[in-house]
Amino acid sequence: FIDSDNLHNLDDLFNFVRSHTETLAVLGSQEILMRPWCLGELTTAFNNNIHTILVRFPNFDLPSQDMILAYPKKIPELRKLGKYGISIPMLQDMLQ
C-alpha cells in the first residue's frame, strides 16, 4: 500500500500497483475509502487481479450500497482518476 500527500506522478503510482505488486495490504482506516488516490490504487489492484488483504482498524466500515452510489457527489475529486483510466463505474465495482 502506497500513500502520500505529495504525489507527483500518479501514472507511476498506479503502474507500480499494476506491474510490481503481488499483494496489496490495505490499512482499513476511517478515511482510506475517502482518499481518491487510495481508491485509485485499490481499483487498479482489483482490475488487475492483485491479491489484496484488508487490515481492519476498529473504526473502519465498508461502505453501504447507498454510499457507493453517492461516491461521485461526496468525493468530486474522483473524476480526476479518469485521466488514469479509472472510471467511476470501475471504482464502484471494486467497492461492491
Side-chain angles (χ1 to χ4, degrees):
F1 172 76
I2 304 165
D3 188 20
S4 173
D5 289 328
N6 190 21
L7 297 173
H8 294 289
N9 190 336
L10 293 175
D11 282 327
D12 287 348
L13 175 68
F14 299 136
N15 186 52
F16 186 86
V17 171
R18 180 177 24 265
S19 303
H20 302 291
T21 303
E22 291 182 30
T23 300
L24 184 71
V26 179
L27 302 179
S29 67
Q30 190 172 11
E31 295 296 318
I32 189 76
L33 298 180
M34 301 303 286
R35 296 181 60 108
W37 314 131
C38 295
L39 289 165
E41 290 174 84
L42 291 168
T43 302
T44 299
F46 178 80
N47 288 340
N48 289 277
N49 298 309
I50 305 297
H51 182 247
T52 303
I53 297 171
L54 173 61
V55 178
R56 288 180 180 229
F57 288 7
N59 59 355
F60 177 80
D61 291 313
L62 291 171
S64 66
Q65 185 64 31
D66 289 339
M67 179 59 182
I68 292 170
L69 294 174
Y71 260 79
K73 290 182 184 176
K74 295 226 181 241
I75 312 169
E77 298 86 14
L78 290 177
R79 299 204 186 285
K80 294 178 184 177
L81 295 174
K83 176 179 173 181
Y84 305 98
I86 300 169
S87 68
I88 298 297
M90 290 165 67
L91 186 144
Q92 290 170 317
D93 285 345
M94 177 274 300
L95 290 167
Q96 296 293 329

